[in-house]
Amino acid sequence: NFTCPDCGEPVAPHELEKNSLAENVLSNMKTWCIYKAHGCEWHGKLSELRAHLKLCKGHLGEECPYNCGEIVTGSKRQQHMRHCVRRPVTCRWCDAAVPLILIKNKEHESECKPFLREHKVVPRREHARVVAELNAKSHASLLLAARVPDSEVQANGATLTLL
């Protein structure tokens, strides 16, 4: 309900008159989209805002394409994609695109064959096979008879670290 600005009495909507001068001034005022905080960069005349809002997707979020679980909107999407912990980065050992978090947590190292070869690292699941191969090559039977430590294996003159 509206009230009269002079007397404070209630006024019905059909009793109101348009103020063309005020309407013209307001409709030509410049404004930003109401979803600017969500990333929409539109700006224009207030009179054009209603048409823009019918098309604007600034308030709608979408899931991060790197599957980190974040819901991102508009221009914040680009910023998020540059800093997402699951964004792909190139492994310096195998040149594969790997999620950043796997590099930071050193999880990729246990699957990266060039890294494993360079560092003489043997994944724990391949421990028995590699030790057997090394022993067969060196014809050394001492390693088979001795208790093998959980973290390192000496074979054929090389120390192998287990992951």
Side-chain angles (χ1 to χ4, degrees), residues 116 120-128 130-131 160-163:
L116 296 173
K120 295 182 174 84
V121 175
V122 178
R124 192 170 296 279
R125 67 181 175 279
E126 295 181 28
H127 169 253
V130 171
V131 169
L160 301 176
T161 305
L162 301 177
L163 294 179

Side-chain angles (χ1 to χ4, degrees), residues 22 42 53 56 59 108 115 138 147 151 163:
W42 179 89
L53 290 175
C56 181
H59 63 290
H108 174 66
F115 175 87
S138 68
R147 184 185 181 293
S151 61
L163 294 179

Side-chain angles (χ1 to χ4, degrees), residues 88-110:
V89 294
T90 303
C91 171
R92 68 184 200 147
W93 297 100
C94 67
D95 291 326
V98 179
L100 175 65
I101 191 75
L102 297 182
I103 299 288
K104 281 187 170 186
N105 292 345
K106 299 185 186 271
E107 291 177 47
H108 174 66
E109 290 176 359
S110 67

Side-chain angles (χ1 to χ4, degrees), residues 56-129:
C56 181
K57 304 288 185 216
H59 63 290
L60 301 175
E62 59 184 76
E63 194 170 325
C64 170
Y66 302 136
N67 298 316
C68 73
E70 289 283 323
I71 304 297
V72 291
T73 58
S75 64
K76 291 183 180 182
R77 180 177 192 268
Q78 294 301 321
Q79 179 184 1
H80 171 80
M81 289 174 63
R82 284 191 301 271
H83 300 286
C84 180
V85 296
R86 297 219 27 100
R87 75 181 182 277
V89 294
T90 303
C91 171
R92 68 184 200 147
W93 297 100
C94 67
D95 291 326
V98 179
L100 175 65
I101 191 75
L102 297 182
I103 299 288
K104 281 187 170 186
N105 292 345
K106 299 185 186 271
E107 291 177 47
H108 174 66
E109 290 176 359
S110 67
E111 302 294 324
C112 179
K113 290 182 180 178
F115 175 87
L116 296 173
R117 274 193 303 275
E118 177 72 21
H119 291 87
K120 295 182 174 84
V121 175
V122 178
R124 192 170 296 279
R125 67 181 175 279
E126 295 181 28
H127 169 253
R129 180 187 59 77

